[in-house]
Amino acid sequence: MALLFKSSWDRADWWRAELLKRIPDLDFRVWPEVGDEAAIDYALVWKPKPGDLARYRNLKAVFSLGAGVDHLFADPTLPKVPICRLVDRALTRGMAEHVLTHVLRFHRNLPGYERQQRAFEWKGLPIKLPEERTVGVMGLGELGGAAAATLADFGFGVRGWSRTPKTIDGVESYAGGGALDAFLSKCEILVCLLPLTRATEGILNRNLFAKLPRAACLINAARGGHLLEEDLIPALDTGQLGGAALDVFRVEPLPRGHPYWTHPRILITPHVASVTDPRSSADLVADNIRRIDAGEAPLYAVDPAKGY
Ligand code: NDP
Ligand code: OXD
């Protein structure tokens, strides 16, 4: 069986080594050395160009090299085969770590101390206990659910928002559009871990910011498309938002002249909140290949109607 690998970000040699350990007879092909297109059974891809996948007419499934599948559904010619996302304990742990790091940074007011240091100022800033701080997580799936649980274990007051209600120890669940305002009303730190779909595109906008407590901080580790870019700086400059930690952007890498680079209240990381590691992620891809070959349904196939 043949698998086509295409990504300008992930390491083909690492994936080849990890997948061949699990399926020694796998014919692992790296784009553009595709060979006979009709022989390709599986595609393992990150951000293929629209139209790229339609040429492989015997595809049995498409595997995303990430948890998100928005990069695949952006293609109107996407083959009608199972589209599987990555779910992996290392990816989940990495995201929980990213979220905890940034929540603690805002919670302990490190941005304030960085500003004071530049002004040679020696002054303690107000401090709160974690249980006096409310953190809200938008999206309580594999990643958001684990991040929320980690924050709750740490002692924060945690609430989460998802499409359907959730039961997670220490996390107050808010579900559906009707509960969004109530959810937002107490979030001093807001974490976005939603998938990018038609329903969530641009959800982080000035109307939403206005519903947060004043000086709330934003952590966006989901997708750049969730944020209405032009609404962020005005919200920071008026003090409605106190700070933003952004890992994802509409255009990546973030263009050199973009105002986010130099804004004093924005911290940028280059889409590294949690990075796919083939040493663990190859388990699911190999498992799914075996399942499909045995006529079974693959794991973590997304619902095209929902888009995630
Ligand atoms: P999941 O599909 O497991 O979870 C998605 C969550 O969002 C679910 O709780 C779902 O609700 C909720 N949701 C979806 N649509 C809506 C909506 N319209 N209103 C309210 N809630 C909604 O995804 P993951 O947790 O695995 O991943 C989340 C995203 O994180 C990925 O799509 C990707 O964009 C991003 N990501 C970013 C990385 C980075 O390094 N920056 C790394 C990996 C992922 P319900 O449970 O009710 O269905
Ligand atoms: C992902 C990502 O979706 O890396 O996994 O953004």
Side-chain angles (χ1 to χ4, degrees):
M1 83 207 60
L3 175 142
L4 175 68
F5 179 94
K6 184 172 191 222
S7 168
S8 48
W9 169 258
D10 303 84
R11 292 269 306 260
D13 52 343
W14 289 2
W15 270 98
R16 181 198 301 276
E18 292 300 330
L19 280 176
L20 290 186
K21 271 188 215 164
R22 292 156 176 88
I23 310 179
D25 61 344
L26 182 68
D27 177 2
F28 186 96
R29 304 184 188 181
V30 182
W31 191 89
E33 307 300 323
V34 178
D36 177 10
E37 291 175 350
I40 302 293
D41 299 293
Y42 302 103
L44 176 60
V45 290
W46 181 246
K47 293 191 180 174
K49 289 203 181 66
D52 267 3
L53 295 172
R55 54 207 303 157
Y56 308 112
R57 57 185 182 280
N58 293 320
L59 267 186
K60 294 178 184 150
V62 177
F63 305 128
S64 171
L65 277 158
V69 288
D70 48 295
H71 64 110
L72 297 169
F73 283 115
D75 179 355
T77 67
L78 186 65
K80 304 237 174 313
V81 294
I83 309 294
C84 302
R85 64 199 202 86
L86 260 191
V87 174
D88 168 46
R89 60 193 180 284
L91 197 64
T92 302
R93 200 178 47 217
M95 186 57 83
E97 192 179 286
H98 175 88
V99 169
L100 181 62
T101 301
H102 287 276
V103 166
L104 286 173
R105 174 175 172 267
F106 286 129
H107 171 64
R108 295 304 302 256
N109 208 345
L110 292 188
Y113 288 114
E114 283 162 13
R115 283 191 290 277
Q116 288 191 176
Q117 181 175 344
R118 286 192 288 275
F120 301 94
E121 206 172 339
W122 181 275
K123 188 179 80 186
L125 296 170
I127 223 164
K128 275 189 177 189
L129 297 172
E131 52 269 35
E132 295 169 322
R133 177 85 66 196
T134 301
V135 184
V137 181
M138 299 177 83
L140 288 178
E142 293 294 331
L143 303 180
T150 302
L151 294 168
D153 279 350
F154 205 88
F156 287 105
V158 185
R159 48 177 59 194
W161 182 67
S162 45
R163 238 170 28 87
T164 54
K166 299 281 175 271
T167 308
I168 304 173
D169 267 359
V171 180
E172 212 180 324
S173 165
Y174 293 75
L180 182 58
D181 289 6
F183 162 77
L184 293 169
S185 65
K186 295 262 184 322
C187 298
E188 298 166 85
I189 301 174
L190 181 69
V191 180
C192 180
L193 278 174
L194 290 165
L196 184 63
T197 65
R198 275 197 298 277
T200 63
E201 210 279 330
I203 193 166
L204 303 174
N205 58 43
R206 87 172 75 145
N207 294 330
L208 179 141
F209 300 151
K211 291 171 183 158
L212 293 167
R214 195 159 172 79
C217 294
L218 172 69
I219 298 168
N220 186 15
R223 285 290 180 265
H226 289 122
L227 175 63
L228 216 56
E229 285 208 335
E230 61 274 25
D231 286 4
L232 180 64
I233 290 183
L236 290 166
D237 289 348
T238 57
Q240 178 54 29
L241 288 185
L246 308 177
D247 185 60
V248 285
F249 303 88
R250 285 186 184 248
V251 177
E252 296 181 358
L254 186 65
R256 183 86 165 84
H258 199 289
Y260 288 177
W261 278 115
T262 50
H263 196 282
R265 288 185 182 266
I266 297 178
L267 178 69
I268 286 170
T269 48
H271 201 143
V272 291
S274 193
V275 176
T276 299
D277 183 338
R279 286 173 299 184
S280 52
S281 301
D283 284 343
L284 176 62
V285 175
D287 196 17
N288 269 342
I289 291 175
R290 284 195 211 98
R291 282 173 164 266
I292 294 170
D293 268 28
E296 293 168 25
L299 300 173
Y300 302 111
V302 296
D303 174 356
K306 284 198 297 182
Y308 72 97

